[in-house]
Amino acid sequence: MPTDFHSKVTVDRKVPIPMRDRINLTADIYRPKGIDTPLPVLLMRLPYGRSIASTVTYAHPSWYAQQGYIVVIQDVRGCGTSEGEFYPFRHEYEDGYDTVRWCVESLAGSNGKVGMYGFSYQGATQFQAAVMQPAGLVTICPAMTSADFYDGWFYFGGSIALDFTLGWALQLSQNRAQFLRLEPQATQLFQAQQNLSHWLNANPLDQIQILKQEPLGQFFFDWIGHPLASDPYWQELNPVSRFANYDLPALHIAGWADLFITASLQTYAQAKLHTQKPQHLVIGPWQHLPWRSKVGEVDFGSTATPKIDRLQIDWFDYWLKGIDNGISDRSTVQIFLMGANHWLDLSGLDRKLDRTDSHTLYLHENGQLKSQKPDLESSPDIYVYDPRNPNPSTAYGQYDQRVGHQRWDVLLYFSDVLLTDLSILGTAEFLLYAATSAPDTDWVVKLLDVYPDGRQMSISIGVLRARYHKSLTEPDFVEPDRIYEYQIEFRPTGHCFLAGHQIGIAIASSAFPLIERHSNTMQIPCTVSISDFVEATQQIHHSDRFPSHLRLPLLHDILE
């Protein structure tokens, strides 16, 4: 007897799809049974093996096929059983174009209309295909992704997002060894993934031997070896560099606790600038994966449970089948307000954010955050940052920070207890007046929701490498012990600080391994050895002349 799966769907596996250079990429193709009319196509392109098909977040492709679609899940070049050499992002422009064209012109049963879906890398491949403008590509649904691989993907405030970057490099390299059945590389890389903390502590980063086994891991050294946003390396890879050619309706999906949240919203904003086609946005409380109502240490309740599969089908039904299901009348922006734990419809968000007012809190002596600007001279608060013992980070999301804050190398500031709820939405900023004994260092600022029971839950984080105090494209080393102004942007968030809670700020010079530890020298951090590390004495100023302060974007101004 056939299973329920195969009674409703047929699957053609390892179907070769030819590229312009005669390389064949393979795909599994799912079709609903009992439908003889041509159907639109849903395409996903991924480097992790087509059988996985992003089922860590989405329903299985067979479910999508049962909704009346031909579903094509393709191994990108050099992955799974696809031919060629894999290099992240490099071949996805032409290969994406060629694959869409094949789905339109050569795929049996196709009606010539294609939509793409997928998150993370699979989301990026959608933008790369979209800017090539292949005929038949009608719409995309990119989730938790970016069109800029420097800012908000591999780098954060000019610092390498180490935990992600190294962990992902090991994953991609192990996958490649696995696909090629290479030993001992497959086993060694698998073991390295299981012992990631060992490799995160390795120095110099540009000499990590486990990734120097050609041709598996060279891309990691390219990522860390191009520290400037303006480097041609990034401009070649980044779809945003080609957004003059972007002109598709899209459903953008993001998560407040996703490490790519900044990049996702910047990409959404760029898409809005370059096309008049509808750009819808959904932001849940979710981490990169899995998408659940519990995020970090906070359960946001059943309303936070994602319904992305159904939403995507509604989107595709409208754009690919012409079904008037009302999705065009829905709010173009839906966000989950953490703390209050409910959804908000915010059509016209972009226009309203332009006039959003902020709530300002100033640093004061004795660890206080006050709405009044300091009116007296005061001595700076001082801590010493030693890169041999960096301040530790949790995963990104709402985790209690108290363990990492019981140290000498972090400064804490708290507001008075809130008498009423205070809701924020957007990108908070911190204007820091600080001096360091080093020619370069990192500034790390965390925004905290302090509960009545003492928990210090991380809401967002901002990072800025001192040399980038002018811009990410114009490094300028600082003069030791001179006070500079640093404008530090937090990752975007939507959060309600409840009455009875406090707003907190934590200032340090590391968040390891979320970002790489800085050596406090003028060297590129990925090239330094342990013996190059230098301690830095950090001064945080809070006086009438140097009023370090927090600016929070208020939600009520958006709703008015």
Side-chain angles (χ1 to χ4, degrees), residues 7 160 162 182 191 214 228 244 299 361 404 412 424 432 445 456 525 535:
S7 68
I160 296 170
L162 181 61
L182 295 179
Q191 292 171 341
E214 292 293 350
L228 289 179
D299 193 329
L361 292 171
L412 299 173
I424 64 172
L432 175 67
V445 185
Q456 299 173 12
E535 298 90 345

Side-chain angles (χ1 to χ4, degrees), residues 159-317:
S159 301
I160 296 170
L162 181 61
D163 193 7
F164 162 72
T165 300
L166 180 55
W168 195 46
L170 289 171
Q171 178 187 10
L172 293 176
S173 299
Q174 201 284 329
N175 281 350
R176 179 70 171 149
Q178 189 82 12
F179 297 145
L180 296 174
R181 299 184 180 275
L182 295 179
E183 289 292 359
Q185 292 97 323
T187 297
Q188 291 173 344
L189 286 161
F190 177 78
Q191 292 171 341
Q193 286 182 277
Q194 309 310 305
N195 193 23
L196 179 59
S197 61
H198 167 76
W199 295 103
L200 289 168
N201 280 284
N203 284 93
L205 289 176
D206 66 355
Q207 297 301 318
I208 294 181
Q209 291 302 310
I210 191 72
L211 290 173
K212 282 190 173 291
Q213 302 173 37
E214 292 293 350
L216 298 179
Q218 180 56 45
F219 43 77
F220 171 76
F221 304 104
D222 293 339
W223 299 337
I224 66 175
H226 294 89
L228 289 179
S230 56
D231 195 297
Y233 174 82
W234 300 112
Q235 304 313 309
E236 178 186 342
L237 291 181
N238 288 344
V240 74
S241 302
R242 310 187 191 191
F243 257 32
N245 297 324
Y246 175 81
D247 192 29
L248 290 179
L251 171 61
H252 303 256
I253 299 162
W256 291 130
D258 178 34
L259 69 165
F260 297 153
I261 180 61
T262 300
S264 292
L265 296 195
Q266 288 174 345
T267 298
Y268 164 75
Q270 286 296 313
K272 293 274 290 182
L273 285 175
H274 285 88
T275 182
Q276 296 300 311
K277 303 288 178 60
Q279 304 294 304
H280 285 213
L281 174 65
V282 175
I283 313 175
W286 315 302
Q287 291 175 303
H288 200 61
L289 63 91
W291 301 349
R292 298 284 188 268
S293 61
K294 185 175 182 180
V295 183
E297 297 171 353
V298 176
D299 193 329
F300 293 101
S302 59
T303 57
T305 301
K307 301 177 177 62
I308 298 302
D309 294 305
R310 186 70 256 171
L311 178 61
Q312 290 189 146
I313 286 298
D314 288 347
W315 182 265
F316 288 133
D317 281 350

Side-chain angles (χ1 to χ4, degrees), residues 44-56 73-81 86 88-89 92 118-125 144 153-154 164 167-176 178-179 193 223 260 288-289:
M44 178 189 293
R45 308 186 61 250
L46 73 167
Y48 307 113
R50 63 186 184 277
S51 62
I52 294 176
S54 288
T55 50
V56 292
I73 309 296
Q74 183 190 57
D75 291 323
V76 300
R77 181 178 295 247
C79 294
T81 54
F86 174 67
F89 308 116
E92 310 308 352
F119 87 117
S120 198
Y121 192 100
Q122 298 84 277
T125 65
M144 295 190 182
W153 187 290
F154 291 117
F164 162 72
W168 195 46
L170 289 171
Q171 178 187 10
L172 293 176
S173 299
Q174 201 284 329
N175 281 350
R176 179 70 171 149
Q178 189 82 12
F179 297 145
Q193 286 182 277
W223 299 337
F260 297 153
H288 200 61
L289 63 91

Side-chain angles (χ1 to χ4, degrees), residues 83 101 124 133 141 144 169 208 263 266 316 367 372 391 419 460 487 501 504 512 560:
E83 299 169 353
R101 183 176 177 180
Q133 298 186 329
C141 288
M144 295 190 182
I208 294 181
Q266 288 174 345
F316 288 133
Q372 301 84 17
N391 195 276
L419 300 179
S460 186
Q487 296 185 11
H501 290 220
F512 183 81
E560 289 177 354

Side-chain angles (χ1 to χ4, degrees), residues 423-443:
S423 295
I424 64 172
L425 176 63
T427 301
E429 298 176 333
F430 196 86
L431 195 66
L432 175 67
Y433 291 95
T436 175
S437 61
D440 194 25
T441 194
D442 282 339
W443 303 110

